[in-house]
Amino acid sequence: MTKKNINITTEELKKLNEQLSSLTAKELLAWFVARYPGKTIFSSSMGLEDQVITDLLASLSNPVPVFTLDTGRMFPETYDLIDITRQRYNIVIEVWFPDGGQVRRMVGEHGINLFYSSQENRKLCCHIRKTEPLRQALSGYSVWITGLRREQSAARQDLELVSFDPEFNILKVNPLLNWSTAEVWEYIRLNRVPYNTLHDQGYPSIGCQPCTRAVMEGEDIRAGRWWWEESGKKECGLHDPLKAKQKSS
Ligand code: ADX
Ligand code: SF4
């Protein structure tokens, strides 16, 4: 059973969001790192937003551990970026893998490309390859930094700067919550932050290779993720908007 790492009431959370709302992304990161030293961790998918956060974290005096979840189905360009980022910032990027036995059983039962056959199978794959490794990676930490932004999808509109995630028993912090896509790109270019070359080939949002395609001009940012599924239901279990609305009391 996951140990409860944090206790916060709905009222305290509301006050915290009000208190922190005027901080810049960097100030917000610094605030949490100072408040929860050694208990703050950052999950990077190596996406554009995550590269901004990695760059911001590199400018803080206290290091924050960074991890990425390798589902085994990533793009070669994503693996390249893991190494480029590691070298550019001289940091360790911890890579988490799914449990081999669980993957073997799942593939044996449903096939290697099970995600195309039903949403149930797709969710099973995300659960085994992403959510369970995430649970392990977050274990023992109190604060989880992510690159979620409101503009990314309708389902993410109601996210807060800071929320309590009951699934992982952790405070979830989204420092780029209110950044626009243009602001993210501006930061990347101004600071020469390394990014996934797929972004220049029509991929605004990058996940696993078989579940991500390029989008057309004018299409939604996340239209290329699990594109065969009904939009509005395209979360993988790492970020369930319904769960995020429930607060600890
Ligand atoms: S997803 O749920 O649809 O895959 P998305 O790609 O938008 O999420 O990324 C949102 C945030 O989730 C990222 O900024 C990152 O914090 C976290 N995340 C998503 N995928 C991974 C991954 N493979 N490894 C680590 N963190 C991830
Ligand atoms: Fe599996 Fe696709 Fe989910 Fe990756 S995004 S874990 S390949 S279903």
Side-chain angles (χ1 to χ4, degrees):
M1 207 178 122
T2 317
K3 201 168 134 257
K4 193 161 168 74
N5 299 310
I6 196 105
N7 276 306
I8 189 160
T9 64
T10 308
E11 203 44 45
E12 285 166 343
L13 207 43
K14 195 168 163 233
K15 278 204 188 121
L16 194 58
N17 272 295
E18 283 164 10
Q19 181 194 342
L20 303 177
S21 64
S22 60
L23 298 188
T24 64
K26 185 174 168 182
E27 288 167 346
L28 187 76
L29 289 168
W31 192 92
F32 276 98
V33 174
R35 180 64 68 96
Y36 297 94
K39 288 282 176 187
T40 301
I41 193 162
F42 168 45
S43 67
S44 173
S45 68
M46 314 308 296
L48 213 53
E49 294 80 5
D50 297 326
Q51 292 303 95
V52 169
I53 295 175
T54 297
D55 192 84
L56 288 169
L57 288 175
S59 66
L60 301 182
S61 41
N62 293 328
V64 169
V66 183
F67 71 89
T68 193
L69 308 169
D70 179 358
T71 61
R73 304 296 300 257
M74 315 306 281
F75 284 94
E77 289 85 348
T78 305
Y79 292 114
D80 288 345
L81 187 59
I82 293 175
D83 260 353
I84 291 167
T85 308
R86 186 175 66 90
Q87 284 160 17
R88 157 78 186 264
Y89 296 102
N90 194 22
I91 53 171
V92 173
I93 300 178
E94 198 168 36
V95 182
W96 284 81
F97 300 95
D99 177 79
Q102 284 188 27
V103 173
R104 197 169 56 246
R105 282 189 290 280
M106 173 181 77
V107 168
E109 199 174 328
H110 302 287
I112 193 90
N113 285 338
L114 71 163
F115 25 79
Y116 297 133
S117 57
S118 70
Q119 193 180 58
E120 194 185 349
N121 281 349
R122 196 274 284 170
K123 287 193 167 169
L124 175 69
C125 185
C126 282
H127 180 78
I128 289 175
R129 290 186 188 270
K130 292 173 92 173
T131 314
E132 280 311 309
L134 175 70
R135 188 184 309 284
Q136 287 179 37
L138 295 178
S139 168
Y141 286 91
S142 306
V143 178
W144 171 25
I145 299 165
T146 90
L148 289 170
R149 288 190 297 123
R150 283 201 173 121
E151 215 189 59
Q152 285 165 337
S153 74
R156 294 181 178 180
Q157 291 294 312
D158 296 337
L159 293 179
E160 302 278 3
L161 218 44
V162 188
S163 59
F164 175 75
D165 189 319
E167 170 82 21
F168 303 114
N169 280 319
I170 201 161
L171 270 190
K172 190 170 173 180
V173 179
N174 310 310
L176 305 190
L177 184 71
N178 294 313
W179 285 37
S180 65
T181 303
E183 284 173 313
V184 175
W185 273 113
E186 192 187 353
Y187 185 99
I188 294 272
R189 297 217 159 97
L190 265 175
N191 297 283
R192 297 177 179 277
V193 176
Y195 64 88
N196 198 319
T197 53
L198 290 171
H199 289 306
D200 294 331
Q201 297 164 47
Y203 292 79
S205 173
I206 303 167
C208 294
Q209 186 168 27
C211 300
T212 309
R213 65 155 171 79
V215 303
M216 320 253 225
E217 191 81 30
E219 265 191 314
D220 190 75
I221 299 178
R222 286 173 63 81
R225 304 288 301 274
W226 308 293
W227 67 92
W228 64 93
E229 287 187 3
E230 199 185 322
S231 62
K233 294 186 179 168
K234 301 201 291 184
E235 292 290 347
C236 70
L238 299 190
H239 312 289
D240 186 331
L242 293 175
K243 277 185 330 200
K245 281 185 186 166
Q246 300 165 22
K247 306 281 161 55
S248 162
S249 55

